[in-house]
Amino acid sequence: MRAAVIDTHGQPPVLVERNAPVPGPGQAVVRTTAAPVTPLDVLCATGTSYFGPPELPYVPGVQGVGVVVSSTVHPAGTRVWFPTGAGMAPGDGSLAEAALVPEDRMVVVREDVEDTLVAALGLSAVAAWMALTWRASLQPDEQVLVLGAGGVVGQVAVQASRLLGARRVVAACRSDAAREHALDSGADAVVELRDGDTVELLAKRLAGACDGDVDVVVDPLCGVPASAALELLAPGGRLVNLGSSAGPTATFSSAALRSRSASILGYTNNALTFEQQEKALSQLLGYAAAGELTVAHECVCLDDLPEAWRRQVAGETQGRVVVTLP
């Protein structure tokens, strides 16, 4: 079979021929039809993630969509979404024509959502949904601020806030393309994130777009944007941090945090049980089937993966890159 392989940390994958996977106890074989290239894939491949440098060579791809070839749980031909530990633990991932998947880690997916959209949503959509529901406990009529709203997590967070009954959703993002993604997702207002922003300047711009205090902040950025957003939290407000692409730390006023009984909460998909992942993804795909949830994504074939990987590292991609396999 053909597979993408990371053979040098920090370099794009190369395409190789490999033996087809042979399942062991508790494993199924899935023929991959679509697999996203996520920021986590790129980070793990650098060898600098907190999981440590992965053993080389390995097939990247922390999630995928495909058709069951052999399994003791699901009949051959069953269409499934699956996660992998590629780059985080020994073993190969989804960016190959076939993958080994634990029997108890496959989600049967509905037929009325295309493989590429299922792959584009995947765990990023789960993260946005669970940050809002499980961690922030978003309530109807609350106001939400989504930082990094042009990314996949941000796009889903804007749409999910609407689905959950938020009264106003304000987005913050950097590029013109990201602004369009946020508006297409249903944001009421979009605030530009600018190089050289101070906490005070950005907090003032965010406040101008919000209708009073903010109940929930979805924060995949940290850094200055998170520090500015913290200034706007309502009494009982919650900021949920999912990442640090704008900086590793944020600051806050102890007096403001205490006087408002506000909360700063961390989130990682790794804290979820598989049952939580399965339930969240199934809910999200239901919204996708109804035309109420989507994300910007571009599809490339396996031959074009190395160049698409380079473009993602350089920040030149438009939405999630999804690799399609015949």
Side-chain angles (χ1 to χ4, degrees), residues 110-163:
R110 49 195 303 154
E111 294 295 331
D112 49 1
V113 185
E114 292 184 358
D115 288 7
T116 51
L117 180 54
V118 177
L121 289 167
L123 288 174
S124 293
V126 169
W129 182 260
M130 295 300 282
L132 286 165
T133 58
W134 181 54
R135 294 298 281 154
S137 299
L138 177 64
Q139 300 301 305
D141 296 323
E142 289 191 317
Q143 181 169 220
V144 180
L145 170 59
V146 179
L147 304 179
V152 175
V153 170
Q155 291 175 56
V156 174
V158 171
Q159 295 169 85
S161 297
R162 288 285 184 218
L163 293 167

Side-chain angles (χ1 to χ4, degrees), residues 17-223:
E17 290 286 341
R18 278 193 157 194
N19 292 329
V22 177
Q27 291 182 317
V29 177
V30 176
R31 176 175 60 82
T32 309
T33 58
V37 179
T38 71
L40 180 57
D41 290 312
V42 173
L43 175 62
C44 287
T46 66
T48 62
S49 78
Y50 60 75
F51 300 104
E55 183 178 341
L56 302 175
Y58 77 99
V59 175
V62 296
Q63 54 190 302
V65 181
V67 177
V68 171
V69 175
S70 64
S71 168
T72 61
V73 175
H74 300 292
T78 303
R79 189 163 166 261
V80 296
W81 172 91
F82 59 92
T84 83
M88 298 173 283
D92 291 329
S94 60
L95 286 165
E97 291 180 337
L100 288 179
V101 182
E103 294 272 20
D104 58 354
R105 290 295 183 271
M106 294 183 287
V107 178
V108 177
V109 298
R110 49 195 303 154
E111 294 295 331
D112 49 1
V113 185
E114 292 184 358
D115 288 7
T116 51
L117 180 54
V118 177
L121 289 167
L123 288 174
S124 293
V126 169
W129 182 260
M130 295 300 282
L132 286 165
T133 58
W134 181 54
R135 294 298 281 154
S137 299
L138 177 64
Q139 300 301 305
D141 296 323
E142 289 191 317
Q143 181 169 220
V144 180
L145 170 59
V146 179
L147 304 179
V152 175
V153 170
Q155 291 175 56
V156 174
V158 171
Q159 295 169 85
S161 297
R162 288 285 184 218
L163 293 167
L164 292 165
R167 66 177 175 86
R168 184 171 176 83
V169 183
V170 176
C173 48
R174 185 169 296 277
S175 69
D176 289 341
R179 176 185 179 86
E180 291 305 312
H181 292 328
L183 290 171
D184 289 344
S185 296
D188 292 295
V190 181
V191 176
E192 182 185 2
L193 300 176
R194 302 170 184 166
D195 291 335
D197 264 335
T198 64
V199 171
E200 293 75 17
L201 284 173
L202 181 53
K204 184 176 181 179
R205 289 207 307 279
L206 291 171
C210 294
D211 178 24
D213 292 341
V214 173
D215 299 292
V216 172
V217 177
V218 178
D219 169 37
L221 303 182
C222 199

